[in-house]
Amino acid sequence: MPTLSDSFLTALGLIVSGDADLIEIVALSLRVSLTAVLLAALIGLPLGAVLAVVRFPGRGLLIVVVNALMGLPPVVVGLVVYLTFSASGPLGVLEFLYTPAAMIVAQTVLVTPIIAALARSTLADLLGEYDETLRVLGANRFDVVATLLWDGRFSLATALLAGLGRALAEVGAVMLVGGNIDHVTRVMTTAIALETSRGALPLALGLGIVLLLITLVLNAVVLGVRNRMEAHAHA
Amino acid sequence: MPDPTPRVIPFQPPRPADPPALRIEGLCLSRSGAALLNGVEMTLSPGGVTALLGPNGAGKSLLLRVIAGLIAPDAGRVIVPRAMQGRIGLVLQRPVLLRRSVAANLRHALALARVPRRHRAPRVGELLALGNLEALADRPARRLSGGEQQRLAIIRALAANPLLLMLDEPTAHLDPQATHAIEALVARVTEGGTKVILVTHDTGQVQRLADEVAFLHQGRCHEIAGKSAFLTHPESAAARAYLTGKLLL
């Protein structure tokens, strides 16, 4: 059994040498999670904006449901997506199960409520500030939503980051629907779980370090871009 | 050859005469049991500047919001001349500028006013010139000084070419120089034919800008008169007390 320091040094060696397996796993993780966040943003941002702007019967209940779904257990999502795409499921004909597509769907389901709920909260605050001004200027609901999304974009970037963090760190759902198949559906979190159970700590630790670095770099980049753009033009 | 078919002229019911000016009839609004507007009646002059004068809590800002359609009254109505309908601008006491540059705020207002895209850039230039803000076009709007922000809010309200522009204490908290710039801008706006309703506490500003004065107190219009008549010989006891600095409760 290697010591922690041995594992750490071996892990650094894998990263520095550009180990092919490690790169493949990291690339698939990023492809799946970024795609899922993009899809979740396309659904969650307009949904959050509509919940913030439009008054309709049942709106309060829907907000409660969306907020509650932020804490959706990944394994439950994985199970539902599994049943949906299984051979006897309603979308079994798509043959998504054990492919990255199913993993993207599962992560999209997990991340959409996070983005929608955080966007609703952000945009509701902004609406409180902008409402009268936009109405006086003749804005219709579509104009209001578009204006809020644009002017709230820096705060919404934080919501997207929260969603990406959830997607990258998630293991239960992608394990169920992806199957953790080597060179097909193995991503960082499922690989870490597998390698740890096999006692192959260097690769698990290397992937863990990469996962942390990716999260750190993404947050730093988004924060840097946000600060720079805000300082440049939009206070 | 003459057409044998007789011309049929459809019957057109007589339309009620279009009021020449904004008229407010019996406007009432209550919140939590308190009457904030208590039967406001007034007919404003068609042009120039009407100053809404009155102590704090008189209902001046609320009246502007009702006229702008932001708040529905409990009773009464605002009769807007046909030409003026849909062409009413309002600048709030603390104008909210978008988190964009000065020019982008104007472009946004023009887009909301459905001004065709090709006409927006020249119109932005005109508005910037009107507000004397050309040099600040690319500056973040929220980093302007108080006076500059007010000028931007006014020219933004002009993007839709309003025939009625309502200004809620546009010079509150501004220094004399900034106040002068706002007053000069308001004068230019009225020269262009736009009717202005100006909420103010400043009788000096009334003297400089207004053509007529409507005095509000406790949600009612106590008096509406020409500027000189109001300032020299106010008819209502409330207006007399206000002008002599006596507290109105």
Side-chain angles (χ1 to χ4, degrees):
Chain A
M1 181 91 178
T3 63
L4 184 63
S5 57
D6 289 341
S7 298
F8 190 76
L9 287 173
T10 312
L12 283 181
L14 286 172
I15 294 168
V16 172
S17 66
D19 180 78
D21 283 349
L22 187 131
I23 288 173
E24 184 186 342
I25 291 169
V26 170
L28 181 63
S29 292
L30 286 175
R31 183 159 69 89
V32 168
S33 294
L34 287 172
T35 307
V37 169
L38 178 67
L39 292 174
L42 290 175
I43 302 164
L45 290 179
L47 176 62
V50 167
L51 286 175
V53 172
V54 184
R55 301 284 183 272
F56 55 88
R59 172 176 169 269
L61 181 65
L62 193 54
I63 290 171
V64 170
V65 170
V66 170
N67 286 343
L69 289 177
M70 283 202 294
L72 209 55
V75 284
V76 174
V77 172
L79 182 61
V80 171
V81 174
Y82 180 91
L83 292 172
T84 305
F85 290 122
S86 64
S88 57
L91 296 178
V93 67
L94 295 175
E95 297 184 347
F96 272 9
L97 211 54
Y98 305 125
T99 70
M103 297 156 73
I104 289 170
V105 171
Q107 289 196 350
T108 302
V109 172
L110 272 173
V111 171
T112 298
I114 294 174
I115 292 177
L118 294 178
R120 189 208 65 79
S121 173
T122 299
L123 298 178
D125 288 346
L126 199 54
L127 180 66
E129 187 185 353
Y130 279 13
D131 186 34
E132 282 195 330
T133 296
L134 292 178
R135 285 166 63 195
V136 164
L137 291 173
N140 58 31
R141 279 180 183 166
F142 178 79
D143 296 324
V144 172
V145 167
T147 303
L148 294 182
L149 286 174
W150 180 253
D151 277 39
R153 62 195 182 281
F154 301 117
S155 301
L156 294 175
T158 308
L160 297 187
L161 269 183
L164 183 60
R166 167 84 158 178
L168 280 171
E170 191 281 316
V171 57
V174 289
M175 184 77 90
L176 274 175
V177 302
N180 196 22
I181 303 168
D182 200 13
H183 303 297
V184 181
T185 57
R186 184 160 296 168
V187 290
M188 284 189 280
T189 51
T190 56
I192 289 170
L194 177 70
E195 299 303 330
T196 304
S197 68
R198 291 200 309 203
L201 293 186
L203 183 56
L205 203 55
L207 286 165
I209 292 169
V210 171
L211 190 56
L212 281 173
L213 282 175
I214 286 172
T215 308
L216 202 65
V217 167
L218 279 172
N219 275 280
V221 167
V222 170
L223 188 67
V225 170
R226 174 183 166 160
N227 287 345
R228 190 169 173 179
M229 288 182 74
E230 277 188 323
H232 182 249
H234 306 298
Chain B
M1 187 170 171
D3 185 355
T5 311
R7 277 183 69 210
V8 177
I9 300 172
F11 171 73
Q12 290 183 324
R15 293 195 306 191
D18 193 22
L22 190 83
R23 176 157 174 70
I24 294 164
E25 291 181 351
L27 218 54
C28 293
L29 182 71
S30 297
R31 288 288 183 271
S32 306
L36 306 176
L37 295 177
N38 192 12
V40 178
E41 296 268 354
M42 62 170 76
T43 301
L44 305 186
S45 62
V49 176
T50 298
L52 278 187
L53 203 62
N56 288 332
K60 306 182 295 294
S61 300
L62 200 57
L63 182 59
L64 294 194
R65 282 177 163 80
V66 173
I67 294 172
L70 293 177
I71 300 174
D74 298 334
R77 56 181 182 162
V78 177
I79 304 168
V80 180
R82 196 160 287 124
M84 205 180 263
Q85 287 171 6
R87 295 183 66 182
I88 296 176
L90 169 63
V91 178
L92 302 167
Q93 189 175 356
R94 290 187 182 84
V96 176
L97 300 172
L98 304 189
R99 292 168 166 83
R100 307 177 188 205
S101 69
V102 170
N105 265 272
L106 296 175
R107 281 195 295 272
H108 180 263
L110 290 166
L112 293 184
R114 315 298 169 207
V115 173
R117 197 176 288 271
R118 66 181 183 283
H119 295 317
R120 289 181 201 163
R123 182 74 180 131
V124 166
E126 290 169 14
L127 291 168
L128 287 171
L130 182 64
N132 197 21
L133 290 171
E134 299 106 311
L136 304 175
D138 297 323
R139 191 80 66 85
R142 295 189 172 209
R143 294 204 183 153
L144 301 181
S145 70
E148 290 162 348
Q149 289 200 17
Q150 275 292 357
R151 294 205 318 267
L152 173 57
I154 293 172
I155 59 173
R156 183 179 65 177
L158 294 172
N161 282 320
L163 291 176
L164 171 62
L165 178 63
M166 300 186 287
L167 307 172
D168 191 356
E169 297 192 51
T171 58
H173 317 300
L174 297 185
D175 64 29
Q177 191 180 2
T179 298
H180 175 74
I182 296 287
E183 290 181 358
L185 177 56
V186 172
R188 289 186 67 183
V189 169
T190 52
E191 282 167 13
T194 300
K195 167 76 184 172
V196 171
I197 301 177
L198 173 75
V199 168
T200 181
H201 289 286
D202 181 355
T203 50
Q205 189 165 64
V206 171
Q207 184 75 52
R208 291 189 296 274
L209 277 182
D211 299 293
E212 71 176 352
V213 182
F215 181 77
L216 262 71
H217 177 45
Q218 294 180 334
R220 283 180 53 226
C221 180
H222 286 247
E223 183 172 349
I224 182 162
K227 169 182 67 180
S228 301
F230 178 84
L231 292 176
T232 54
H233 300 99
E235 288 182 2
S236 65
R240 278 196 300 276
Y242 181 82
L243 289 175
T244 53
K246 292 178 184 165
L247 187 63
L248 286 168
L249 296 173

